[in-house]
């Protein structure tokens, strides 16, 4: 299995961050739920409507892997809720798409500062093995917290380039499931997509890798959604990237 991602076939491996390299996906999910539940409860009370909490399916279908404001917008649309777009400088208590997104970011950073970052050891082992084989590496994430998370985990020297939520915003790139962020990483590494591997745990991220025409898309199943990852376009699904490292 490891030979399928070796340097003879591929020149680079593009890694998602949260849920692939770092165990921060659950922190993001928890921050999203707290933010949306607080907002939805307040809205339901003010309109005298039943409160429908934010669910795991909501996270997987509308949030996971998308840029922050895209996630807010997509979820609210699914619930039939319309609020102003606002702007990136909106305070976290403002009822706008950007205000809600900023509130989620505030909650995430509180946990990051208090608890630090946990990494997946199997993923680190695979990342090191990839670099030892001479393949280039990139971290590709929709999060604007990429720099803080990578630094907290001590992984600054492990990637040749990065594309994150700030890159997406500054360059006007559509977020996942569009392939543009991965294609931008491949361009920066000067590799052809067909000679690059995408590693993702989010359904939207896997779909982005498939849409970009990448040579191999690996899904990392952290939530028991292997079938969904395959349907989204994963060529290979594993629960631990360490299993792709050959024995010494």
């Amino acid at each position: 299995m490891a030979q399928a991602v070796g340097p003879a076939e591929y020149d680079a491996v593009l890694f998602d961050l949260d849920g692939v390299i770092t165990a921060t996906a659950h922190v993001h999910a928890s921050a999203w739920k707290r933010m949306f539940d607080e907002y939805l409860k307040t809205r339901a009370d003010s309109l005298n409507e039943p409160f429908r909490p934010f669910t795991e399916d909501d996270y997987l279908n509308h949030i996971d892997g998308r840029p922050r404001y895209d996630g807010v917008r997509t979820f609210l649309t699914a619930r039939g809720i319309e609020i102003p777009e606002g702007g990136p400088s909106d305070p976290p208590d403002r009822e706008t798409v950007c205000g809600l997104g900023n509130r989620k970011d505030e909650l995430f950073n509180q946990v990051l500062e208090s608890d630090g970052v946990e990494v997946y050891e199997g993923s680190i082992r695979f990342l090191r093995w990839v670099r030892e084989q001479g393949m280039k590496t990139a971290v590709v994430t929709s999060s604007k917290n990429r720099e803080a998370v990578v630094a907290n985990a001590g992984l600054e020297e492990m990637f040749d380039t990065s594309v994150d939520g700030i890159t997406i915003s500054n360059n006007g790139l559509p977020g996942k499931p569009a392939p543009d962020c991965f294609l931008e990483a491949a361009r920066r590494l000067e590799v052809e997509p067909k000679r690059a591997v995408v590693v993702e745990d989010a359904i939207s991220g896997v779909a982005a890798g498939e849409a970009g025409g990448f040579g191999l898309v690996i899904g990392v199943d952290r939530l028991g959604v292997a079938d969904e990852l395959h349907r989204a376009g994963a060529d290979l699904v594993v629960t631990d990237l360490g299993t792709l490292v050959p024995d010494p």
Side-chain angles (χ1 to χ4, degrees):
M1 189 179 293
Q3 292 179 349
V5 293
E9 295 83 10
Y10 302 107
D11 301 317
V13 182
L14 316 180
F15 294 86
D16 179 39
L17 182 61
D18 302 303
V20 171
I21 301 293
T22 60
T24 41
H26 71 282
V27 181
H28 281 287
S30 178
W32 279 112
K33 179 169 176 58
R34 179 177 169 186
M35 182 277 290
F36 272 129
D37 278 354
E38 290 175 353
Y39 170 69
L40 293 170
K41 182 67 165 62
T42 299
R43 181 183 175 87
D45 289 345
S46 67
L47 297 176
N48 196 27
E49 295 177 349
F51 166 56
R52 293 172 54 203
F54 182 79
T55 68
E56 182 176 339
D57 283 345
D58 289 326
Y59 178 74
L60 293 174
N61 293 327
H62 307 304
I63 303 293
D64 193 20
R66 299 177 188 271
R68 193 191 327 150
Y69 301 144
D70 284 357
V72 175
R73 200 178 299 110
T74 302
F75 169 71
L76 293 180
T77 298
R79 286 289 182 98
I81 298 173
E82 294 184 11
I83 61 175
E85 179 72 16
S89 63
D90 282 4
D93 59 351
R94 184 165 295 173
E95 190 182 0
T96 62
V97 168
C98 293
L100 294 182
N102 293 344
R103 173 59 178 160
K104 178 266 168 184
D105 199 44
E106 182 178 72
L107 293 171
F108 175 82
N109 283 320
Q110 288 174 3
V111 176
L112 189 66
E113 292 174 8
S114 63
D115 297 350
V117 173
E118 178 185 354
V119 299
Y120 291 106
E121 292 301 330
S123 297
I124 300 302
R125 193 161 68 251
F126 178 64
L127 175 58
R128 287 175 177 154
W129 178 80
V130 165
R131 292 183 65 83
E132 288 169 358
Q133 305 312 301
M135 287 182 278
K136 299 176 182 179
T137 56
V139 58
V140 182
T141 174
S142 298
S143 174
K144 292 185 177 180
N145 306 108
R146 186 269 314 166
E147 185 174 3
V149 171
V150 169
N152 196 301
L155 300 174
E156 299 100 318
E157 305 302 319
M158 297 298 288
F159 300 103
D160 298 300
T161 193
S162 62
V163 173
D164 59 17
I166 296 174
T167 312
I168 291 170
S169 177
N170 288 346
N171 291 275
L173 300 176
K176 304 170 188 177
D180 301 62
C181 55
F182 285 114
L183 292 172
E184 174 63 16
R187 185 192 68 80
R188 293 183 179 197
L189 293 176
E190 298 182 332
V191 300
E192 293 294 324
K194 65 182 179 181
R195 292 282 301 177
V197 179
V198 166
V199 185
E200 263 283 359
D201 71 312
I203 293 170
S204 62
V206 165
E210 195 276 336
F214 287 88
L216 183 70
V217 180
I218 300 175
V220 183
D221 182 18
R222 306 288 189 197
L223 300 172
V225 291
D227 289 344
E228 289 89 338
L229 292 171
H230 277 300
R231 283 197 292 270
D235 303 298
L236 172 67
V237 174
V238 298
T239 57
D240 183 353
L241 287 171
T243 61
L244 301 180
V245 179
D247 293 333

